[in-house]
Amino acid sequence: MPSRRVSPILAHAEAARVWKLYGFQEPQDLVLEDLAWAMGVLVMDGPLDGADARLLRKGSRGLIRVKDTLPERGRRRFAIAHELGHWLLHKNISQVLACTSLDMVAQYQGSEPEIEANYFAAALLMPESLFGPRVRGHRPSAERVKSLATAFDTSLTATAVRCVELADDYCAVVISEMGQVRWWRASADFEEHFWIDPGTPLSHHTVASSVFRGEPVPNGPEEVDLECWLPDKKGIESRFIVEEVIPLNRYGQIISLLWLP
Ligand SMILES: [Zn+2]
């Protein structure tokens, strides 16, 4: 099993430093375009081929161009925060960085700067000091993810990932598309037990698979045989895992929130 190669410590510390430096208290204080401008970076929307966002650096000034066809505000905000991560953390890597939608979810197999930029973006948009207390001690339910996404003005996917990152439970989030696992994250406790190769077809008995087949979205979490998600169980004794799905219709994707009962 590949291990997490990139430590989030530097990126998280940098995001916390920004919140402190500008005196932000609440998510509403974080107006990304204003913050970028204060750092010498102009944000503009425009056409971009093959990338969600691009950072151009010239000395102490920068330009972030965000693809003008990104379909939702939360994804645009994540892209800007990701580029600000490059701006602050990767001065010496390249003067032009173009980042794709895959870079925006990079972890494990991604390149180190992309992973670091994502750690920074998540911590800037959803600081642990504010987000953590609303997650710890709670299951990452669809209702909780949706309400946090509204409160922090973030995409459902980024919010679900942050819930799992900061959870103190055995839980995971899996993003699937066309009946296959696209990528996933697991909580720190669950990580050593949880591994699914991207591209793996979903078991027919998962809730996500049933929704892909056109069945109605269940109104709440359901118990699923653990083997449906983890065929070799990896030392977990529970027979079941709980799954709740959030369909992302505009992307043809489904978020599965998973936790051990
Ligand atoms: Zn990037």
Side-chain angles (χ1 to χ4, degrees), residues 82-83 86 97-100 103-104 113-114 117-118:
H82 174 106
E83 298 307 327
H86 285 315
L97 279 162
C99 304
T100 65
D103 291 332
M104 300 289 170
E114 299 309 328
N118 289 333

PDB file of all heavy atoms in Angstrom, residues 82-83 86 97-100 103-104 113-114 117-118, ligand 1:
ATOM      1  N   HIS A  82      -6.043  26.808  -4.207  1.00  0.00           N
ATOM      2  CA  HIS A  82      -4.951  25.915  -4.627  1.00  0.00           C
ATOM      3  C   HIS A  82      -3.816  26.745  -5.251  1.00  0.00           C
ATOM      4  O   HIS A  82      -2.641  26.558  -4.912  1.00  0.00           O
ATOM      5  CB  HIS A  82      -5.529  24.898  -5.621  1.00  0.00           C
ATOM      6  CG  HIS A  82      -4.543  23.991  -6.274  1.00  0.00           C
ATOM      7  ND1 HIS A  82      -4.422  22.659  -5.937  1.00  0.00           N
ATOM      8  CD2 HIS A  82      -3.641  24.196  -7.268  1.00  0.00           C
ATOM      9  CE1 HIS A  82      -3.486  22.100  -6.694  1.00  0.00           C
ATOM     10  NE2 HIS A  82      -2.997  23.016  -7.515  1.00  0.00           N
ATOM     11  N   GLU A  83      -4.166  27.694  -6.127  1.00  0.00           N
ATOM     12  CA  GLU A  83      -3.118  28.515  -6.762  1.00  0.00           C
ATOM     13  C   GLU A  83      -2.436  29.408  -5.737  1.00  0.00           C
ATOM     14  O   GLU A  83      -1.223  29.653  -5.825  1.00  0.00           O
ATOM     15  CB  GLU A  83      -3.718  29.356  -7.901  1.00  0.00           C
ATOM     16  CG  GLU A  83      -4.316  28.551  -9.046  1.00  0.00           C
ATOM     17  CD  GLU A  83      -3.365  27.520  -9.650  1.00  0.00           C
ATOM     18  OE1 GLU A  83      -2.145  27.767  -9.682  1.00  0.00           O
ATOM     19  OE2 GLU A  83      -3.850  26.453 -10.082  1.00  0.00           O
ATOM     20  N   HIS A  86       0.243  27.461  -4.233  1.00  0.00           N
ATOM     21  CA  HIS A  86       1.468  27.484  -5.049  1.00  0.00           C
ATOM     22  C   HIS A  86       2.200  28.820  -4.873  1.00  0.00           C
ATOM     23  O   HIS A  86       3.426  28.867  -4.781  1.00  0.00           O
ATOM     24  CB  HIS A  86       1.123  27.312  -6.532  1.00  0.00           C
ATOM     25  CG  HIS A  86       0.748  25.910  -6.933  1.00  0.00           C
ATOM     26  ND1 HIS A  86       1.453  24.805  -6.524  1.00  0.00           N
ATOM     27  CD2 HIS A  86      -0.256  25.445  -7.748  1.00  0.00           C
ATOM     28  CE1 HIS A  86       0.895  23.716  -7.064  1.00  0.00           C
ATOM     29  NE2 HIS A  86      -0.143  24.079  -7.789  1.00  0.00           N
ATOM     30  N   LEU A  97       2.396  27.842 -13.501  1.00  0.00           N
ATOM     31  CA  LEU A  97       1.861  26.531 -13.116  1.00  0.00           C
ATOM     32  C   LEU A  97       0.434  26.437 -13.638  1.00  0.00           C
ATOM     33  O   LEU A  97      -0.396  27.293 -13.328  1.00  0.00           O
ATOM     34  CB  LEU A  97       1.848  26.382 -11.596  1.00  0.00           C
ATOM     35  CG  LEU A  97       3.170  25.991 -10.934  1.00  0.00           C
ATOM     36  CD1 LEU A  97       3.128  26.309  -9.453  1.00  0.00           C
ATOM     37  CD2 LEU A  97       3.446  24.510 -11.139  1.00  0.00           C
ATOM     38  N   ALA A  98       0.155  25.447 -14.444  1.00  0.00           N
ATOM     39  CA  ALA A  98      -1.207  25.222 -14.930  1.00  0.00           C
ATOM     40  C   ALA A  98      -1.711  23.947 -14.274  1.00  0.00           C
ATOM     41  O   ALA A  98      -1.062  22.903 -14.334  1.00  0.00           O
ATOM     42  CB  ALA A  98      -1.218  25.075 -16.440  1.00  0.00           C
ATOM     43  N   CYS A  99      -2.872  24.051 -13.615  1.00  0.00           N
ATOM     44  CA  CYS A  99      -3.324  22.933 -12.774  1.00  0.00           C
ATOM     45  C   CYS A  99      -4.652  22.392 -13.289  1.00  0.00           C
ATOM     46  O   CYS A  99      -5.617  23.140 -13.469  1.00  0.00           O
ATOM     47  CB  CYS A  99      -3.466  23.401 -11.330  1.00  0.00           C
ATOM     48  SG  CYS A  99      -1.918  24.128 -10.725  1.00  0.00           S
ATOM     49  N   THR A 100      -4.682  21.095 -13.488  1.00  0.00           N
ATOM     50  CA  THR A 100      -5.875  20.445 -14.041  1.00  0.00           C
ATOM     51  C   THR A 100      -6.846  20.056 -12.928  1.00  0.00           C
ATOM     52  O   THR A 100      -6.520  20.135 -11.740  1.00  0.00           O
ATOM     53  CB  THR A 100      -5.472  19.152 -14.776  1.00  0.00           C
ATOM     54  OG1 THR A 100      -4.949  18.241 -13.798  1.00  0.00           O
ATOM     55  CG2 THR A 100      -4.411  19.422 -15.837  1.00  0.00           C
ATOM     56  N   ASP A 103      -5.187  17.574 -10.798  1.00  0.00           N
ATOM     57  CA  ASP A 103      -4.255  18.170  -9.825  1.00  0.00           C
ATOM     58  C   ASP A 103      -5.005  18.645  -8.576  1.00  0.00           C
ATOM     59  O   ASP A 103      -4.480  18.605  -7.466  1.00  0.00           O
ATOM     60  CB  ASP A 103      -3.515  19.375 -10.436  1.00  0.00           C
ATOM     61  CG  ASP A 103      -2.530  18.967 -11.517  1.00  0.00           C
ATOM     62  OD1 ASP A 103      -2.017  17.836 -11.445  1.00  0.00           O
ATOM     63  OD2 ASP A 103      -2.286  19.773 -12.427  1.00  0.00           O
ATOM     64  N   MET A 104      -6.242  19.117  -8.783  1.00  0.00           N
ATOM     65  CA  MET A 104      -7.014  19.686  -7.659  1.00  0.00           C
ATOM     66  C   MET A 104      -7.447  18.609  -6.657  1.00  0.00           C
ATOM     67  O   MET A 104      -7.920  18.938  -5.571  1.00  0.00           O
ATOM     68  CB  MET A 104      -8.264  20.413  -8.174  1.00  0.00           C
ATOM     69  CG  MET A 104      -7.973  21.560  -9.116  1.00  0.00           C
ATOM     70  SD  MET A 104      -7.235  22.986  -8.302  1.00  0.00           S
ATOM     71  CE  MET A 104      -6.755  23.959  -9.742  1.00  0.00           C
ATOM     72  N   PRO A 113       4.135  19.230  -5.213  1.00  0.00           N
ATOM     73  CA  PRO A 113       3.555  20.581  -5.137  1.00  0.00           C
ATOM     74  C   PRO A 113       2.033  20.570  -5.253  1.00  0.00           C
ATOM     75  O   PRO A 113       1.359  21.373  -4.602  1.00  0.00           O
ATOM     76  CB  PRO A 113       4.190  21.310  -6.329  1.00  0.00           C
ATOM     77  CG  PRO A 113       5.390  20.521  -6.682  1.00  0.00           C
ATOM     78  CD  PRO A 113       5.116  19.110  -6.291  1.00  0.00           C
ATOM     79  N   GLU A 114       1.476  19.672  -6.074  1.00  0.00           N
ATOM     80  CA  GLU A 114       0.015  19.632  -6.220  1.00  0.00           C
ATOM     81  C   GLU A 114      -0.650  19.153  -4.927  1.00  0.00           C
ATOM     82  O   GLU A 114      -1.670  19.691  -4.501  1.00  0.00           O
ATOM     83  CB  GLU A 114      -0.394  18.728  -7.389  1.00  0.00           C
ATOM     84  CG  GLU A 114       0.127  19.181  -8.743  1.00  0.00           C
ATOM     85  CD  GLU A 114      -0.173  20.643  -9.043  1.00  0.00           C
ATOM     86  OE1 GLU A 114      -1.203  21.155  -8.587  1.00  0.00           O
ATOM     87  OE2 GLU A 114       0.656  21.276  -9.716  1.00  0.00           O
ATOM     88  N   ALA A 117      -0.425  21.995  -2.468  1.00  0.00           N
ATOM     89  CA  ALA A 117      -1.377  23.070  -2.789  1.00  0.00           C
ATOM     90  C   ALA A 117      -2.788  22.669  -2.358  1.00  0.00           C
ATOM     91  O   ALA A 117      -3.569  23.511  -1.908  1.00  0.00           O
ATOM     92  CB  ALA A 117      -1.332  23.380  -4.283  1.00  0.00           C
ATOM     93  N   ASN A 118      -3.126  21.385  -2.470  1.00  0.00           N
ATOM     94  CA  ASN A 118      -4.448  20.930  -2.030  1.00  0.00           C
ATOM     95  C   ASN A 118      -4.581  20.949  -0.508  1.00  0.00           C
ATOM     96  O   ASN A 118      -5.623  21.316   0.022  1.00  0.00           O
ATOM     97  CB  ASN A 118      -4.734  19.523  -2.565  1.00  0.00           C
ATOM     98  CG  ASN A 118      -4.961  19.539  -4.059  1.00  0.00           C
ATOM     99  OD1 ASN A 118      -5.385  20.552  -4.604  1.00  0.00           O
ATOM    100  ND2 ASN A 118      -4.657  18.436  -4.721  1.00  0.00           N
TER     101      ASN A 118
HETATM  102 ZN    ZN B   1      -1.532  23.066  -8.869  1.00  0.00          ZN
END
